[in-house]
Amino acid sequence: NTINFLFFVCYRALIFPLLIREGKPTPFFTFVLALLFCVFNGYLQGRSLTTYAAYPAGWLGDLRFIAGFLGWLFGMAINIHSDHILRNLRKPGETGYKIPRGGMFEYVSGANFFGEILEWFGFALACCTIESLAFAVCTLFILGSRARQHHE
């Protein structure tokens, strides 16, 4: 579970920003708030998993862990693929609004948001901690509202 969390954080914090083409700059205050949130959440999740969570022998074979891990894995795959589609919507120098096509965008207008929400609910199921569930619910509300805005 900790490895899943670290993999996502490394992808989102290190790999994803390097793949983004030119775009609108992020305001410094927004950057600081996002950084503080990620540091706090990372601490909360890490502390929860390493100090307070207790799992019975054989937990990795438990249906909850397997289903949660698969949810996390499929969510991550959807998220990465959707980010790829979004990065390649416009050719260099092109502007204007474009509707993404392909992948999960054929089923939902915010496929990248859907993938990340699925990731964190899968993570919560695999971990079975109140902290991981709280983060999944917060992600649902935050990204759900962003997805609704993008859809409109």
Side-chain angles (χ1 to χ4, degrees):
N1 293 334
T2 304
I3 292 171
N4 297 348
F5 183 75
L6 291 174
F7 180 79
F8 173 80
V9 170
C10 286
Y11 169 74
R12 187 55 77 194
L14 302 174
I15 298 168
F16 179 75
L18 295 174
L19 297 174
I20 296 175
R21 294 183 187 167
E22 285 185 39
K24 294 183 278 185
T26 301
F28 184 72
F29 184 68
T30 302
F31 167 77
V32 170
L33 287 178
L35 178 68
L36 290 174
F37 175 81
C38 289
V39 167
F40 176 73
N41 182 56
Y43 171 78
L44 183 67
Q45 298 301 326
R47 178 82 175 189
S48 167
L49 291 171
T50 59
T51 305
Y52 302 110
Y55 299 102
W59 178 250
L60 298 180
D62 188 280
L63 184 58
R64 291 169 292 182
F65 177 81
I66 294 169
F69 177 76
L70 290 174
W72 174 83
L73 189 64
F74 287 129
M76 175 68 88
I78 291 167
N79 194 358
I80 291 172
H81 185 250
S82 299
D83 285 346
H84 173 76
I85 290 172
L86 290 172
R87 278 192 311 274
N88 293 297
L89 268 179
R90 293 177 200 83
K91 295 177 178 129
E94 201 174 38
T95 60
Y97 183 78
K98 290 205 172 188
I99 296 175
R101 300 277 183 224
M104 284 300 293
F105 284 108
E106 298 300 319
Y107 305 100
V108 293
S109 56
N112 52 328
F113 300 128
F114 171 75
E116 192 161 339
I117 291 166
L118 180 58
E119 273 180 80
W120 292 117
F121 273 95
F123 182 77
L125 182 59
C127 294
C128 286
T129 64
I130 198 74
E131 295 84 1
S132 60
L133 179 60
F135 183 59
V137 170
C138 286
T139 300
L140 173 65
F141 286 117
I142 293 167
L143 295 185
S145 68
R146 287 184 65 197
R148 187 169 182 252
Q149 290 170 340
H150 283 259
H151 180 77
E152 290 173 357

